[in-house]
Amino acid sequence: MTVKICAEGFDPWHEVQAYQNAAQHMAGKFGATSVFIGTMRDFNEGDDVKAMNLEHYPGMTEKQLEKIVAEAQQQWPIIDALVVHRVGDILPNEPIVLVAVWTSHRGDAFDASRYIMEALKSKAPFWKKEVLKSEDQRWVEKNTDGYKR
């Protein structure tokens, strides 16, 4: 299991491929890889958003993310997991978060990935400040519902 916090942009597809290539312990063991990539939108709460600053609590955030993955490992037979989260100044279309889970079967991969992502959104100490197109700035007080339309 690996948890990474990045102050710079990252390529989630490269992260997954590089991690999988380096993880020799997984060779021949996994039959499913579930990958979730969260990307910054240019809208939120009915407003146009042109940028965002994402802050975290160094040390505590990583521990909380590791705890979330450990909780998932208690519920599903996860072979390995990778969580990469961006902090700092972020623009629309840039990846914010990557959750990748390797398991023997797809159901476990989907369920564990979903669990990790939803727990991350509600438990991990991140704070978002949006810059609106109007140049107003605001703190995001709550995350949106994962199913909001």
Side-chain angles (χ1 to χ4, degrees):
M1 165 195 41
T2 297
V3 169
K4 292 171 51 177
I5 302 294
C6 299
E8 302 295 327
F10 67 95
D11 177 345
W13 304 112
H14 173 76
E15 293 283 340
V16 170
Q17 190 64 58
Y19 191 81
Q20 186 171 300
N21 289 345
Q24 293 301 313
H25 69 281
M26 294 194 303
K29 306 265 188 283
F30 64 95
T33 305
S34 179
V35 176
F36 174 86
I37 300 168
T39 305
M40 185 187 159
R41 296 183 309 255
D42 66 356
F43 64 94
N44 191 31
E45 302 290 327
D47 294 308
D48 292 329
V49 179
K50 69 178 207 177
M52 178 172 63
N53 181 273
L54 193 53
E55 296 181 6
H56 76 299
Y57 193 130
M60 180 182 281
T61 301
E62 292 88 339
K63 284 183 182 177
Q64 185 61 40
L65 293 173
E66 290 166 0
K67 182 179 176 189
I68 290 167
V69 174
E71 290 170 358
Q73 289 175 314
Q74 296 294 315
Q75 299 179 58
W76 294 278
I78 296 172
I79 296 169
D80 209 340
L82 171 64
V83 176
V84 180
H85 207 292
R86 177 84 188 275
V87 294
D89 295 328
I90 303 172
L91 298 173
N93 294 325
E94 292 184 349
I96 298 173
V97 62
L98 161 68
V99 173
V101 174
W102 289 267
T103 65
S104 297
H105 301 285
R106 67 184 176 278
D108 292 329
F110 282 130
D111 294 346
S113 177
R114 177 69 189 244
Y115 174 84
I116 292 168
M117 192 59 225
E118 294 301 329
L120 182 155
K121 294 291 279 185
S122 63
K123 297 179 181 177
F126 289 105
W127 296 273
K128 299 176 188 174
K129 191 173 195 177
E130 295 175 329
V131 179
L132 305 179
K133 194 171 185 178
S134 66
E135 299 299 332
D136 289 341
Q137 296 185 16
R138 68 181 178 199
W139 289 101
V140 177
E141 295 182 12
K142 60 180 173 61
N143 288 307
T144 56
D145 181 340
Y147 291 102
K148 190 172 186 176
R149 293 179 174 92

